[in-house]
Amino acid sequence: MTVYCAVLDDYQGAALTLADWSALDGRVEVRAFREHIADRDELVAQLADCEIVVAMRERTPFDADLLSRLPRLRLLVTTGMRNASIDLAAATAQGITVCGTASSSTPPVELTWALLLGLARQVTVESRAMREGGPWQSTVGQDLHGRTLGLLGLGKIGSRVARVATAFGMEVVAWSQNLTAERAAGDGVQLADSKEDLLRRSDFVSVHLVLSDRTRGLLGEPELRAMRPHAFLVNTSRAAIVDRAALLRALREGWIAGAGLDVFDTEPLPADDPLRTLPNVLATPHLGYVTEHNYRTYYREAVEDITAFLDGSPVRTLN
């Protein structure tokens, strides 16, 4: 019998071209979906005959309810080795093997700096004016050299962002619940006395924390009001770490100068969402991990995961 595999959320149509799927010829029929399927009933209908699903990061949540409606599912592959949108306990209870792939932390570091530099030098405003025949120089950019970058989180990504900041001649301070002065000093970073201290001192604030019960809503109205009016916030981590309503007020009322955002509470972001049009927002459609190297790794290892599972020796299992 033919084994069917669905590759979800393949927005760029890259999944089947950036890896060699021929190892599955004659064993698995693979079909890729380029559009996100938000409707739960439609998703169930599309996956009804699939024993294998390859999910891109956390674009499609696989909670207990959805898994229970997919009785044929035997293998769920996620890109990356962590996916908070998959209920691993429910998958295990249903006899579904969950496997992951490697993922590089370099791409989100690079995108963080693309957003930060774009904000500091008003790149999109000036570029649009060039294209549309607008004014020749209409903004005055902010310097990085001598300014302070505040990092909420100093893990693999945050520490790399810090090293780039040092190269620009910035002062770097960091804070998270478990960060120590010794750990910060090891990356050439000063530990802030508190979250509020970091926000008050920083000209740029960048979020690099894992979403959890402790970090959800970590930046709300009091925290955003504590930031300097000329400061920018960059979030390439998870949207829910920043309270959405408070952020919208901060941007509209000028509590902060602007924000660079790559993550959103609802993705894809609805066409009428105000974050698409606010003039002091530089937004990208969750591109942090979207690079050729990462995609080649994701899909090559997804093929390996599927092959190993079919051979009875699953690899990179998460449950």
Side-chain angles (χ1 to χ4, degrees):
M1 294 179 61
T2 301
V3 173
Y4 293 99
C5 170
V7 180
L8 296 179
D9 299 305
D10 180 23
Y11 298 153
Q12 299 91 350
L16 303 185
T17 61
L18 291 181
D20 181 4
W21 294 76
S22 64
L24 304 178
D25 287 352
R27 307 181 74 184
V28 179
E29 182 177 316
V30 181
R31 54 178 183 258
F33 294 86
R34 295 196 58 174
E35 299 295 327
H36 177 69
I37 306 174
D39 183 82
R40 183 64 63 98
D41 291 336
E42 181 184 354
L43 182 62
V44 169
Q46 293 288 354
L47 301 183
D49 62 346
C50 293
E51 295 181 52
I52 302 170
V53 170
V54 178
M56 173 57 77
R57 305 294 291 177
E58 297 174 3
R59 292 176 183 173
T60 298
F62 283 86
D63 54 25
D65 174 67
L66 177 60
L67 293 172
S68 70
R69 298 177 65 186
L70 300 172
R72 292 182 60 86
L73 184 61
R74 298 166 52 209
L75 173 65
L76 177 57
V77 178
T78 175
T79 54
M81 289 300 291
R82 179 174 57 202
N83 190 327
S85 70
I86 296 176
D87 189 327
L88 293 177
T92 300
Q94 197 170 312
I96 300 168
T97 300
V98 182
C99 297
T101 72
S103 182
S104 172
S105 59
T106 300
V109 173
E110 296 170 350
L111 185 72
T112 294
W113 280 102
L115 291 172
L116 197 151
L117 288 164
L119 288 167
R121 301 302 295 270
Q122 298 291 328
V123 171
T124 54
V125 172
E126 297 291 1
S127 177
R128 186 182 304 114
M130 289 285 287
R131 288 178 176 273
E132 298 175 357
W136 183 265
Q137 296 187 6
S138 63
T139 64
V140 178
Q142 289 203 25
D143 298 277
L144 299 186
H145 185 87
R147 295 295 182 93
T148 299
L149 172 64
L151 297 175
L152 292 170
L154 196 64
K156 287 191 299 182
I157 296 174
S159 60
R160 290 186 178 189
V161 171
R163 288 197 289 273
V164 177
T166 301
F168 275 116
M170 301 183 78
E171 177 185 351
V172 186
V173 296
W175 177 89
S176 67
Q177 284 97 336
N178 297 320
L179 184 62
T180 65
E182 293 75 19
R183 168 72 180 81
D187 284 312
V189 174
Q190 181 182 351
L191 177 66
D193 293 337
S194 63
K195 175 179 60 175
E196 290 71 23
D197 175 56
L198 179 143
L199 297 171
R200 286 192 295 266
R201 294 170 56 182
S202 298
D203 302 295
F204 301 88
V205 174
S206 190
V207 181
H208 301 288
L209 295 165
V210 174
L211 179 62
S212 67
D213 290 339
R214 291 198 305 173
T215 61
R216 187 179 299 275
L218 187 73
L219 297 184
E221 180 170 337
E223 290 79 16
L224 293 173
R225 286 189 180 277
M227 291 177 63
R228 297 176 174 186
H230 69 265
F232 290 100
L233 174 68
V234 176
N235 188 5
T236 58
S237 183
R238 289 294 181 268
I241 294 172
V242 183
D243 180 84
R244 174 183 163 86
L247 177 60
L248 286 171
R249 283 197 65 193
L251 293 166
R252 285 167 169 158
E253 298 178 16
W255 308 349
I256 60 176
L261 305 174
D262 187 50
V263 288
F264 307 93
D265 291 313
T266 300
E267 297 183 3
L269 190 65
D272 60 351
D273 193 287
L275 290 174
R276 286 183 178 265
T277 56
L278 283 172
N280 53 352
V281 171
L282 175 54
T284 49
H286 206 155
L287 297 178
Y289 55 89
V290 182
T291 66
E292 181 179 349
H293 173 76
N294 249 358
Y295 269 37
R296 288 191 183 278
T297 299
Y298 290 164
Y299 292 120
R300 182 186 69 251
E301 295 196 359
V303 173
E304 294 172 0
D305 289 349
I306 296 168
T307 302
F309 175 80
L310 294 175
D311 291 340
S313 302
V315 295
R316 292 185 284 266
T317 56
L318 302 180
N319 64 342

